[in-house]
């Protein structure tokens, strides 16, 4: 959260994650509030045909960029993701458990600010009414990064097919570049 690139040129891609060559796997991560002046406010996945970014049970939304606000390039989904705005990204294969917004109809995940919600690191909590609540999968984790027990199933909110009643990324914010993303 709150990472940015903005000096122009080759250093202005991927406000949250910049992947020009390799493979990145993100599981139960929240990438939000990042920006860049070029491409990939949340995630920039480099040149075609090489680099891979895989997402599972992750939330990528509310990032800014003139090209690919939340993601730029090819993103591979392994289920249970929320992508706020897919403009600039090619997201495959389509999964019924994913929630993917568009430029015309972005999805607001209703995240709280980055702050101490308990545990050793700051997190961005899901606010009441968030479309991410009960739409994830614990990915075999019994706790989140704060040490809170997972999964938690909210009564009255239907789970996605093969979901386990977990919050998607609730309180999970990965560290990168010395900051939470």
């Amino acid at each position: 959260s709150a990472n940015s690139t903005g000096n122009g040129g080759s250093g202005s891609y991927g406000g949250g994650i910049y992947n020009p060559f390799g493979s990145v796997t993100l599981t139960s991560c929240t990438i939000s509030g990042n920006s860049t002046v070029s491409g990939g406010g949340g995630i920039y996945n480099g040149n075609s045909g090489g680099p891979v970014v895989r997402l599972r049970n992750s939330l990528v939304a509310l990032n800014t960029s003139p090209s690919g606000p939340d993601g730029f390039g090819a993103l591979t989904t392994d289920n249970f993701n929320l992508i706020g705005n897919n403009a600039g990204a090619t997201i495959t294969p389509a999964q019924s458990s994913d929630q993917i917004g568009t430029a015309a109809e972005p999805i607001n995940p209703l995240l709280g600010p980055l702050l101490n919600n308990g545990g050793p690191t700051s997190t961005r909590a899901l606010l009441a009414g968030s479309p991410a609540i009960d739409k994830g999968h614990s990915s075999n984790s019994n706790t989140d990064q704060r040490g809170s027990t997972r999964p938690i199933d909210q009564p009255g909110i239907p789970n996605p097919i093969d979901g386990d009643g977990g919050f998607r990324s609730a309180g999970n914010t990965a560290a990168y570049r010395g900051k939470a993303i």
Side-chain angles (χ1 to χ4, degrees):
S1 187
N3 293 292
S4 66
T5 62
N7 60 357
S10 63
S12 296
Y13 295 94
I17 299 282
Y18 176 66
N19 182 42
F21 305 112
S23 294
V24 175
T25 299
L26 301 169
T27 302
S28 299
C29 292
T30 300
I31 300 172
S32 184
N34 302 292
S35 65
T36 184
V37 298
S38 296
I43 300 171
Y44 178 86
N45 192 35
N47 301 318
S48 64
V52 175
V53 173
R54 299 188 80 81
L55 300 167
R56 178 174 173 80
N57 199 57
S58 291
L59 188 154
V60 183
L62 305 176
N63 299 287
T64 58
S65 171
S67 180
D70 290 322
F72 184 88
L75 303 176
T76 301
T77 177
D78 287 333
N79 287 314
F80 310 106
N81 299 297
L82 186 151
I83 310 294
N85 181 343
N86 72 348
T90 302
I91 302 168
T92 57
Q95 305 289 337
S96 64
S97 63
D98 292 329
Q99 297 175 70
I100 300 174
T102 64
E105 294 185 40
I107 298 173
N108 183 342
L110 299 175
L111 294 175
L114 184 65
L115 53 87
N116 185 342
N117 291 301
T121 58
S122 296
T123 58
R124 295 194 67 177
L126 299 176
L127 301 176
S130 171
I133 295 174
D134 263 8
K135 300 303 178 199
H137 192 283
S138 64
S139 298
N140 299 317
S141 293
N142 295 325
T143 60
D144 65 17
Q145 80 178 49
R146 300 170 304 142
S148 295
T149 301
R150 294 287 179 238
I152 298 174
D153 195 9
Q154 298 295 305
I157 300 176
N159 298 324
I161 294 172
D162 296 325
D164 65 1
F167 288 96
R168 174 191 295 119
S169 305
N172 294 335
T173 305
Y176 183 70
R177 293 187 190 161
K179 291 187 175 183
I181 56 173

